[in-house]
Amino acid sequence: MTIDQTVGGQTVVTEPTPRAESTSGLVAGTTPYPWPYDGALTRQRTALIVAGWNDEWWARCHDPESVVDLIGRLAESVDTVITIDHAGPARSRRQLDSAAGTRPPITGASVVAAAGIDAFFGSPLDPVLRSLGADLLLLVGLGLETTVHSTMRSANDRGYECLLVVDACAPLDPDAVPSAVSMVEMSGGIFGAVGLTDPVLTALAR
């Protein structure tokens, strides 16, 4: 079955991987492989990482309001929620547009300050996650092709099992969405897998 999902004005088409009959510990429809790879999803092992969650990235992104409800629903489904306050490169900082508004708070979330686009750079994120026993990461937030993508790559290098929840990510450039998804899925899921909010919620509710 082909899944079509509109993200940031772009249609992302994915072909789910055929699965064995038992999927009790898996998120349905993830690509390019069944996530998590060990089939042992629990809310205790899972952390929601909300990248780019500050007013600068809110102002930069295309239609950030569209992901707020999805992120909020995901936050209610796991025990660990961490928002990342990224310091962007000095060369790209700009005065915020007051008309863009501000990002809303996420109830119960902890805040980690990062020194760059990668949430692990110059931050305590790695030891915090390990102390909590969270090794399954749901990646969402503002800046699909920047903060979210960079953080996912870095998490993968550190041994975390990552799922890009693509409909809960706001891109800076809607045209970059298909490429951002493709880079995660290439080579059998070199950086992790890609999925959607509703199947994640269903799996965590089991």
Side-chain angles (χ1 to χ4, degrees), residues 78-166:
V78 296
D79 291 346
T80 301
V81 182
I82 300 176
T83 64
I84 310 299
D85 184 4
H86 299 261
R91 65 181 179 276
S92 65
R93 291 174 190 163
R94 63 183 182 186
Q95 186 173 359
L96 297 180
D97 180 2
S98 59
T102 58
R103 87 280 183 268
I106 298 175
T107 303
S110 301
V111 180
V112 167
I117 305 300
D118 166 16
F120 290 90
F121 178 70
S123 87
L125 182 57
D126 187 44
V128 167
L129 290 170
R130 297 192 188 282
S131 71
L132 295 170
D135 61 334
L136 305 179
L137 304 188
L138 304 174
L139 281 300
V140 303
L142 307 176
L144 167 62
E145 70 275 44
T146 51
T147 60
V148 179
H149 223 278
S150 182
T151 299
M152 184 174 189
R153 290 168 178 248
S154 188
N156 177 75
D157 288 345
R158 288 170 168 81
Y160 293 97
E161 171 70 339
C162 300
L163 182 69
L164 176 66
V165 188
V166 67

Side-chain angles (χ1 to χ4, degrees), residues 165-188:
V165 188
V166 67
D167 59 337
C169 300
L172 277 70
D173 180 0
D175 291 337
V177 172
S179 295
V181 171
S182 177
M183 281 189 284
V184 173
E185 295 178 328
M186 66 183 181
S187 299

Side-chain angles (χ1 to χ4, degrees), residues 19-63:
R19 296 217 167 97
E21 186 175 341
S22 176
T23 59
S24 59
L26 297 169
V27 176
T30 60
T31 58
Y33 65 88
W35 192 92
Y37 74 93
D38 62 2
L41 177 69
T42 66
R43 61 181 292 152
Q44 293 78 21
R45 290 182 65 194
T46 306
L48 179 69
I49 306 300
V50 188
W53 206 249
N54 62 28
D55 291 343
E56 178 178 355
W57 289 101
W58 179 272
R60 287 172 175 268
C61 283
H62 173 80
D63 194 19

